[in-house]
Amino acid sequence: MAQREVDQTAIAQMRYGQGTSMDNNDRLRTIFADALGIDKDLVVDELEYNSIPEWDSVAHMALVAAIDEGFEIMLDTDDVIDMSSLSIARDILKKYDVEF
Amino acid sequence: MLTGKYALVTGANRGIGLAILKTLAQHGANVIGGARREGSLDDVCSELSDSCGIEATPVYFDVSQPDQVKAAFQKITRITKQLDIAVNNAGIMDSSLLAMARSEDIESVFATNVFGTIYVMQYAARMMIRHKSGSIINLSSIMGVNGAEGQVVYSGSKAAIIGITRSAAKELAPYQIRVNAIAPGFIDTDMVSSISEEIRRERVDSIKIQRIGTPEDVANCTLFLASDNAAYVTGQVVGVDGGMLV
Ligand SMILES: NC(=O)c1ccc[n+]([C@@H]2O[C@H](COP(=O)([O-])OP(=O)(O)OC[C@H]3O[C@@H](n4cnc5c(N)ncnc54)[C@H](OP(=O)(O)O)[C@@H]3O)[C@@H](O)[C@H]2O)c1
């Protein structure tokens, strides 16, 4: 068990840079790119839900799960529904004491 | 069979839930027992940790309270980053006739049996989606499949579990998360202990296997659905009823 816990933390750190100096904006963009399967250059403030085929409802759930994991939070269902763009995601995360 | 996996079981302090918790632990899973009464699972969990060599942790919450479910999952994510199995077992019964079902009873049965199941599934699925694997098992009932007199409220709630299970199975399949329901028949627990001797006899007479079911009968089916032996089984409602006719 302890081994697995360590492995998971290591994996998460590699993925989203928790516990490293990666800033939260960069971490959020990495999570978006990873969860939506798109190039990080495409993750801009104007990126909106359903505006690209990759950000559909199925990907949205993967995105939410990755944000939960990456920032070690548990998003409220209302926030899951409201999170319709990168900039809105950033505003929502501020409520969870994530600093940008 | 489940070595190294993490399993959450709600309503794990007695009855079917307790049997499921023990069975999953005996097959190597690290178990998280959900119960609403603080302390009611402390002894069980420490016994299971000792006897099965696994990690067993109680988490106290009322499934019908969304804030408590969220807080419980915050605790669960501190226990494990990966949840492999979630068993929605917590449930209550109401046996009023249609004309006599009080609104507060209807609300509390649906709040626990239906809303509680959905709340737990929402967070469990989010944990499972991260790793693209998982098995969710919901406790329905033969009453939810067939209905019975005096069971409008309860059977309605358990029928809802079937719809929830089948829909979530479709929605979560792309993430390799399986969702199945178990529909027990007549199982020997506190839930059926208040039933009169006459009805109890009638019920047992309607069971082809000619005995009341045990919580372990249900736990064994849960074990199968939780395990990789059921890797290609999703969206199913499995009867564990000894061939009971309702
Ligand atoms: N027994 C049967 O014949 C039968 C047949 C078909 C289906 N089922 C289903 O199987 C499941 C287990 O039944 P059972 O016979 O084991 O029942 P039981 O002996 O009455 O146990 C029910 C469990 O659910 C818990 N619970 C109830 N409301 C809760 C809430 N709001 N939040 C958290 N926990 C809650 C109870 O906790 P407390 O100890 O705090 O009350 C208890 O641990 C139920 O969903 C039931 O509908 C049973």
Side-chain angles (χ1 to χ4, degrees):
Chain A
M1 188 293 300
Q3 181 59 44
R4 178 163 157 173
E5 194 75 13
V6 169
D7 290 344
Q8 285 171 3
T9 309
I11 290 165
Q13 281 183 357
M14 279 190 305
R15 255 199 231 144
Y16 304 130
Q18 290 103 319
T20 71
S21 59
M22 183 190 257
D23 79 27
N24 286 332
N25 200 29
D26 203 26
R27 177 171 301 146
L28 183 60
R29 290 181 60 231
T30 305
I31 290 171
F32 262 75
D34 200 19
L36 304 183
I38 57 174
D39 199 288
K40 202 167 159 189
D41 294 343
L42 294 174
V43 184
V44 291
D45 273 10
E46 297 69 36
L47 181 63
E48 286 187 357
Y49 177 61
N50 269 338
S51 65
I52 52 170
E54 290 87 349
W55 192 357
D56 60 6
S57 57
V58 173
H60 191 67
M61 289 317 299
L63 175 63
V64 166
I67 289 175
D68 276 351
E69 185 181 23
F71 290 97
E72 293 170 347
I73 55 168
M74 192 68 81
L75 288 167
D76 281 332
T77 307
D78 287 343
D79 292 329
V80 172
I81 298 162
D82 291 345
M83 202 174 30
S84 53
S85 72
L86 176 66
S87 62
I88 292 174
R90 204 181 292 118
D91 289 342
I92 288 172
L93 284 174
K94 287 178 189 161
K95 292 197 299 182
Y96 294 81
D97 298 328
V98 177
E99 287 174 14
F100 288 95
Chain B
M1 208 167 177
L2 301 177
T3 305
K5 302 218 171 196
Y6 276 82
L8 166 69
V9 182
T10 66
N13 55 313
R14 58 196 174 93
I16 294 171
L18 178 58
I20 293 172
L21 192 79
K22 286 182 175 170
T23 302
L24 299 184
Q26 283 156 3
H27 286 81
N30 297 302
V31 290
I32 299 158
R36 57 182 163 176
R37 272 180 294 120
E38 197 72 39
S40 61
L41 266 171
D42 289 3
D43 290 348
V44 170
C45 283
S46 53
E47 275 164 33
L48 285 176
S49 299
D50 291 346
S51 62
C52 303
I54 48 92
E55 187 191 337
T57 318
V59 176
Y60 296 102
F61 65 108
D62 182 328
V63 298
S64 67
Q65 304 298 317
D67 290 347
Q68 290 189 32
V69 176
K70 182 177 177 185
F73 271 88
Q74 280 163 341
K75 285 186 194 140
I76 292 167
T77 51
R78 286 196 286 275
I79 298 167
T80 177
K81 294 274 178 275
Q82 183 162 343
L83 184 67
D84 303 288
I85 299 152
V87 184
N88 280 299
N89 165 80
I92 51 175
M93 189 161 79
D94 176 88
S95 296
S96 352
L97 292 167
L98 176 61
M100 294 199 271
R102 284 194 299 243
S103 62
E104 56 265 38
D105 294 335
I106 300 170
E107 275 163 25
S108 78
V109 168
F110 274 77
T112 294
N113 296 5
V114 181
F115 302 163
T117 296
I118 296 177
Y119 300 145
V120 171
M121 284 174 75
Q122 284 185 311
Y123 289 105
R126 261 158 68 179
M127 286 188 76
M128 292 171 176
I129 282 171
R130 296 173 194 172
H131 300 278
K132 286 208 160 42
S133 71
S135 172
I136 297 174
I137 298 146
N138 298 327
L139 269 290
S140 177
S141 165
I142 195 169
M143 300 300 175
V145 179
N146 294 339
E149 282 172 43
Q151 298 289 323
V152 167
V153 178
Y154 179 71
S155 73
S157 76
K158 292 296 175 179
I161 293 297
I162 296 173
I164 291 164
T165 300
R166 294 213 161 114
S167 301
K170 289 178 176 149
E171 199 172 309
L172 297 176
Y175 309 103
Q176 306 299 315
I177 299 167
R178 299 181 293 104
V179 189
N180 292 288
I182 296 180
F186 190 45
I187 311 295
D188 199 5
T189 67
D190 296 343
M191 187 172 269
V192 300
S193 61
S194 59
I195 288 175
S196 71
E197 199 42 50
E198 189 193 342
I199 294 186
R200 194 182 171 87
R201 228 187 351 262
E202 259 176 39
R203 292 253 164 98
V204 175
D205 285 346
S206 74
I207 300 171
K208 296 284 182 199
I209 283 184
Q210 295 178 337
R211 67 166 174 88
I212 188 165
T214 65
E216 290 70 30
D217 289 323
V218 182
N220 288 332
C221 182
T222 310
L223 172 64
F224 166 69
L225 291 173
S227 77
D228 289 343
N229 287 343
Y232 206 53
V233 181
T234 195
Q236 301 305 306
V237 181
V238 185
V240 179
D241 58 19
M244 183 179 183
L245 300 172
V246 181

